[in-house]
Amino acid sequence: MLVAVWFWLFAWVMWWVNVALGVQGASPILAIIAILSLPVLLRKRPALSRDVIAFGVFIIWCVASTFWSPGAASGLFVFDPENSNYAISSPGLRIALTSLICAFAYWALHQLSDKQYQHGARAVRIGLGIQVILTALWALTFQLVFQVAGEMTDIPSAFQNMIRVVNISVLMVPLAAISLPVKSVAIKWAAGTAMMLGLATLTSRDGFDAGAALLAIAAVAATVIATAFFGRQIFRLLGLATAVAVMAMPFAVQLLLTAVSHGSNMSSQSRLDSWSYVLEKIKERPITGWGVEASKTWDETIRIIGANGMEVDYRIVPGHPHNGALQIWAETGLIGALLISAFALLLGDRLARTSSPSKQIMAAGAALWGGGLVYSAISYSVWNDAYWATFLFLGTGIYALSRTLPKTPEATA
């Protein structure tokens, strides 16, 4: 376990590198921690709370949906020694194993000593401190950074990765703020506000389509403020909001499409077209859905006018619906929607009972959830393991700080 701890500390110190790569390395980091943490099972077993059981049932349903998904290869595994081809062909099983590995790593990092958490808090401060400095320099020298990124890869890819960096940075701001080595809570939140304003400035650059980041900034700010009033109950409210959003999303999107016929730009129009198409798919199989990753096979296109003024064929559903709740409905049906809603309610209830009494810690954790709701609604695929692994990894930083904050009134203000 000691090796796992040191790797975790190293990963936090070097977290800025992972962020620069669009956090694509988050799930491998947790996988390595999980492997190195296996010895902890010799002395302790994970306790299965009700929310964990609900999530486990949801994952089992995802694996089952693989058998009727057009996006899944036949069988669960590929074992072909002749061609040296060994792989997990079932997307549901792949998601299940990834979830199990990442969850175990997260649990294992909750079994450390206070001294190890002190080291962890220092590593969090170093890693996030470097990220804050780099982001500030990026904001001040945007054109130069963009030029260098454009030389290393194509322009669209450079912009896409920059958007990912901003998206994840928004989620990191509350943790970065409470990790500042000062006692004044006012100074911490003032610094967090300044960081958010800096990120908002980045999203205003020409051609930088980061509307999701702006909405996430608003959601994070609203969640932090709400935590000051509701305390631990904020988690029950977030669980309820998540469950309601998942269950009501098809009906809400139908109302949106009725009220709004055209998007304000190409990005918003593409989402409206995608959601309209996915709604029809949901109506065809409302109970069981089409199966995990079925939306990858929906390759119908429409003719649009591209940025260069030329007509191009554009996929109506570009890989996934860009709406997590709709994706759950489309691929796992009403059954999947009910299971994930139950998980959200149970998770919110458990966090309301067991979270740290520190309002700083509560605010950082709740902000992570609130910002994640926005990104899940308009940006990331439900099955994006790097995205969810990032939440777990940031969660380990929040937990480390919760174990090191001084037990004084200032720590809970």
Side-chain angles (χ1 to χ4, degrees):
M1 188 62 193
L2 184 60
V3 178
V5 172
W6 282 107
F7 180 79
W8 172 58
L9 298 177
F10 173 77
W12 260 117
V13 171
M14 300 301 293
W15 182 243
W16 56 276
V17 176
N18 191 35
V19 172
L21 297 174
V23 298
Q24 296 304 301
S27 47
I29 287 173
L30 287 181
I32 293 173
I33 292 173
I35 293 171
L36 296 175
S37 300
L38 286 174
V40 77
L41 290 175
L42 297 175
R43 58 182 177 83
K44 195 167 186 179
R45 299 287 187 276
L48 298 181
S49 56
R50 292 182 301 166
D51 55 302
V52 172
I53 294 173
F55 185 74
V57 175
F58 171 72
I59 292 298
I60 291 171
W61 175 248
C62 290
V63 175
S65 76
T66 295
F67 291 100
W68 60 81
S69 172
S74 59
L76 297 177
F77 303 95
V78 174
F79 186 79
D80 184 8
E82 184 176 343
N83 297 307
S84 299
N85 186 12
Y86 311 96
I88 299 174
S89 56
S90 165
L93 184 58
R94 186 172 63 250
I95 291 166
L97 290 176
T98 302
S99 300
L100 177 63
I101 291 170
C102 291
F104 173 70
Y106 183 73
W107 171 82
L109 290 173
H110 280 58
Q111 315 304 315
L112 310 183
S113 67
D114 287 341
K115 185 176 181 180
Q116 289 170 325
Y117 285 123
Q118 290 171 4
H119 293 321
R122 295 189 190 98
V124 169
R125 292 185 176 103
I126 293 172
L128 292 182
I130 294 174
Q131 178 61 33
V132 169
I133 292 171
L134 290 176
T135 304
L137 292 174
W138 176 23
L140 295 173
T141 60
F142 180 84
Q143 292 300 330
L144 177 61
V145 173
F146 178 67
Q147 181 181 350
V148 172
E151 291 174 355
M152 296 173 64
T153 183
D154 58 280
I155 299 300
S157 296
F159 260 125
Q160 190 64 37
N161 198 59
M162 287 180 174
I163 291 172
R164 291 194 194 102
V165 172
V166 171
N167 286 346
I168 297 303
S169 296
V170 170
L171 299 178
M172 293 191 304
V173 165
L175 176 56
I178 68 171
S179 69
L180 290 175
V182 296
K183 290 185 177 181
S184 172
V185 176
I187 291 177
K188 291 182 178 183
W189 292 125
T193 301
M195 294 179 210
M196 285 298 195
L197 290 175
L199 291 172
T201 300
L202 276 174
T203 65
S204 66
R205 302 288 184 173
D206 291 337
F208 203 75
D209 183 14
L214 285 175
L215 291 175
I217 289 173
V220 167
T223 309
V224 169
I225 294 172
T227 303
F229 291 97
F230 295 106
R232 285 179 172 176
Q233 297 306 312
I234 187 65
F235 294 109
R236 285 196 173 95
L237 294 175
L238 286 169
L240 179 61
T242 302
V244 170
V246 170
M247 296 307 301
M249 189 59 71
F251 311 101
V253 169
Q254 185 64 68
L255 291 174
L256 174 65
L257 293 172
T258 302
V260 181
S261 57
H262 297 287
S264 59
N265 52 43
M266 186 180 298
S267 177
S268 59
Q269 183 60 49
S270 68
R271 277 167 172 72
L272 293 176
D273 293 335
S274 175
W275 296 347
S276 177
Y277 180 93
V278 173
L279 274 180
E280 295 305 314
K281 288 292 187 179
I282 292 172
K283 292 174 184 177
E284 292 176 23
R285 293 187 182 179
I287 306 301
T288 61
W290 289 83
V292 166
E293 292 195 345
S295 58
K296 283 188 174 181
T297 68
W298 298 337
D299 55 3
E300 290 86 345
T301 63
I302 56 175
R303 301 283 288 181
I304 65 170
I305 305 299
N308 57 3
M310 302 290 291
E311 283 192 353
V312 295
D313 287 324
Y314 189 82
R315 284 186 62 174
I316 299 175
V317 182
H320 61 90
H322 288 79
N323 182 301
L326 283 186
Q327 188 173 3
I328 287 173
W329 271 92
E331 298 186 3
T332 66
L334 172 63
I335 295 174
L338 287 170
L339 289 172
I340 202 66
S341 296
F343 163 68
L345 289 170
L346 292 170
L347 176 62
D349 177 69
R350 179 167 64 85
L351 291 177
R353 290 183 286 104
T354 62
S355 66
S356 167
S358 166
K359 286 190 176 180
Q360 296 179 53
I361 296 299
M362 282 189 277
L368 194 60
W369 191 334
L373 282 178
V374 170
Y375 290 137
S376 297
I378 58 178
S379 294
Y380 292 91
S381 168
V382 169
W383 317 125
N384 188 328
D385 59 289
Y387 173 64
W388 294 114
T390 299
F391 278 75
L392 290 179
F393 192 80
L394 292 176
T396 67
I398 294 174
Y399 187 72
L401 287 174
S402 76
R403 294 289 296 269
T404 58
L405 280 176
K407 307 299 181 182
T408 62
E410 289 79 6
T412 59

